[in-house]
Coordinates of all heavy atoms in Angstrom, one line a residue:
A1041 N -5.0 16.0 4.1 CA -4.9 15.7 5.5 C -4.3 14.3 5.7 O -3.8 14.0 6.8 CB -6.3 15.7 6.1
E1042 N -4.4 13.4 4.7 CA -3.8 12.1 4.8 C -2.2 12.2 4.9 O -1.6 11.3 5.4 CB -4.2 11.2 3.6 CG -5.7 10.9 3.6 CD -6.1 10.1 4.8 OE1 -5.4 9.0 5.0 OE2 -7.0 10.5 5.6
F1043 N -1.7 13.2 4.4 CA -0.2 13.4 4.3 C 0.2 14.2 5.5 O 0.7 15.4 5.3 CB 0.2 14.0 3.0 CG -0.1 13.1 1.8 CD1 -1.3 13.1 1.2 CD2 0.9 12.2 1.3 CE1 -1.6 12.3 0.1 CE2 0.6 11.4 0.2 CZ -0.7 11.4 -0.4
D1044 N 0.0 13.7 6.7 CA 0.2 14.6 7.9 C 1.5 14.3 8.6 O 1.8 14.8 9.7 CB -0.9 14.3 8.9 CG -1.1 12.9 9.3 OD1 -0.3 12.0 8.9 OD2 -2.0 12.6 10.1
G1045 N 2.4 13.5 8.1 CA 3.7 13.2 8.7 C 3.7 12.2 9.8 O 4.7 12.0 10.5
T1046 N 2.5 11.6 10.1 CA 2.4 10.6 11.1 C 2.3 9.2 10.5 O 1.9 9.1 9.3 CB 1.3 10.8 12.1 OG1 0.0 10.7 11.3 CG2 1.4 12.2 12.7
D1047 N 2.6 8.1 11.3 CA 2.4 6.8 10.8 C 3.1 6.5 9.5 O 2.6 5.9 8.6 CB 0.9 6.4 10.7 CG 0.1 6.5 12.0 OD1 0.7 6.2 13.0 OD2 -1.0 7.0 11.9
D1048 N 4.3 7.0 9.4 CA 5.2 6.8 8.2 C 4.7 7.5 7.0 O 5.2 7.3 5.9 CB 5.4 5.3 7.9 CG 6.1 4.6 9.0 OD1 7.0 5.2 9.6 OD2 5.8 3.4 9.3
N1049 N 3.7 8.4 7.1 CA 3.2 9.2 5.9 C 4.1 10.4 5.7 O 4.7 10.9 6.7 CB 1.8 9.7 6.1 CG 0.8 8.5 6.1 OD1 0.9 7.6 5.4 ND2 -0.2 8.7 7.0
P1050 N 4.4 10.8 4.5 CA 5.1 12.1 4.3 C 4.4 13.3 4.9 O 3.1 13.2 5.1 CB 5.3 12.2 2.8 CG 4.2 11.3 2.2 CD 3.9 10.2 3.2
A1051 N 5.1 14.3 5.1 CA 4.5 15.5 5.7 C 4.3 16.6 4.6 O 5.3 17.2 4.2 CB 5.3 16.1 6.8
Y1052 N 3.1 16.7 4.0 CA 2.9 17.7 3.0 C 2.2 18.9 3.6 O 1.3 18.8 4.5 CB 1.9 17.1 1.9 CG 2.6 16.1 1.0 CD1 3.9 15.7 1.1 CD2 1.9 15.6 -0.1 CE1 4.5 14.7 0.3 CE2 2.5 14.6 -1.0 CZ 3.8 14.2 -0.8 OH 4.3 13.3 -1.6
V1053 N 2.5 20.1 3.0 CA 1.8 21.3 3.4 C 1.4 22.1 2.2 O 2.1 22.0 1.2 CB 2.6 22.2 4.4 CG1 3.0 21.4 5.7 CG2 3.9 22.7 3.7
G1054 N 0.4 22.9 2.3 CA 0.0 23.7 1.2 C 0.5 25.1 1.4 O 0.4 25.6 2.6
Y1055 N 1.0 25.8 0.4 CA 1.4 27.2 0.5 C 1.1 27.9 -0.9 O 1.6 27.5 -1.9 CB 2.9 27.3 0.8 CG 3.4 28.7 1.0 CD1 3.1 29.4 2.2 CD2 4.2 29.3 0.1 CE1 3.5 30.7 2.4 CE2 4.7 30.6 0.3 CZ 4.3 31.3 1.5 OH 4.8 32.6 1.7
H1056 N 0.2 28.9 -0.8 CA -0.2 29.6 -2.0 C -0.6 28.6 -3.1 O -0.3 28.8 -4.3 CB 0.9 30.5 -2.5 CG 1.1 31.8 -1.7 ND1 0.0 32.6 -1.4 CD2 2.2 32.3 -1.1 CE1 0.5 33.6 -0.7 NE2 1.8 33.4 -0.4
G1057 N -1.4 27.6 -2.7 CA -2.0 26.7 -3.7 C -1.1 25.6 -4.2 O -1.5 24.7 -5.0
R1058 N 0.2 25.6 -3.7 CA 1.1 24.5 -4.1 C 1.3 23.6 -2.9 O 1.3 24.0 -1.8 CB 2.4 25.1 -4.7 CG 2.2 25.9 -6.0 CD 3.5 26.6 -6.3 NE 3.4 27.2 -7.7 CZ 2.9 28.4 -7.9 NH1 2.4 29.1 -6.8 NH2 2.8 28.9 -9.1
I1059 N 1.6 22.3 -3.2 CA 1.8 21.3 -2.2 C 3.3 21.0 -2.1 O 3.9 20.7 -3.2 CB 1.0 20.0 -2.4 CG1 -0.5 20.4 -2.6 CG2 1.2 19.1 -1.2 CD1 -1.1 21.0 -1.4
Y1060 N 3.9 21.1 -0.9 CA 5.3 20.8 -0.8 C 5.5 19.7 0.2 O 4.8 19.5 1.2 CB 6.1 22.0 -0.3 CG 6.1 23.2 -1.2 CD1 5.0 24.1 -1.2 CD2 7.1 23.4 -2.1 CE1 5.0 25.2 -2.0 CE2 7.1 24.5 -3.0 CZ 6.0 25.4 -2.9 OH 6.0 26.5 -3.8
D1061 N 6.6 18.9 0.0 CA 6.9 17.8 0.9 C 8.0 18.4 1.9 O 9.1 18.6 1.6 CB 7.5 16.6 0.1 CG 7.8 15.4 1.0 OD1 7.8 15.6 2.3 OD2 8.1 14.4 0.5
L1062 N 7.5 18.5 3.2 CA 8.4 19.1 4.2 C 8.7 18.0 5.3 O 8.8 18.3 6.5 CB 7.8 20.3 4.9 CG 7.5 21.5 4.0 CD1 6.9 22.7 4.8 CD2 8.7 21.9 3.2
S1063 N 8.8 16.8 4.8 CA 9.0 15.6 5.7 C 10.3 15.8 6.5 O 10.4 15.4 7.7 CB 9.0 14.3 5.0 OG 7.8 14.1 4.3
D1064 N 11.3 16.4 5.9 CA 12.6 16.6 6.6 C 12.5 17.7 7.7 O 13.5 17.8 8.5 CB 13.7 16.9 5.6 CG 13.4 18.1 4.8 OD1 12.3 18.7 4.8 OD2 14.4 18.6 4.1
T1065 N 11.5 18.5 7.7 CA 11.4 19.6 8.6 C 10.3 19.3 9.7 O 10.4 19.7 10.8 CB 11.0 20.9 7.9 OG1 12.0 21.1 6.9 CG2 11.0 22.1 8.8

Side-chain angles (χ1 to χ4, degrees):
E1042 292 297 305
F1043 296 84
D1044 60 0
T1046 64
D1047 299 325
D1048 295 325
N1049 294 323
Y1052 286 5
V1053 301
Y1055 185 72
H1056 285 306
R1058 294 173 175 84
I1059 306 297
Y1060 296 88
D1061 185 348
L1062 300 184
S1063 299
D1064 60 347
T1065 304

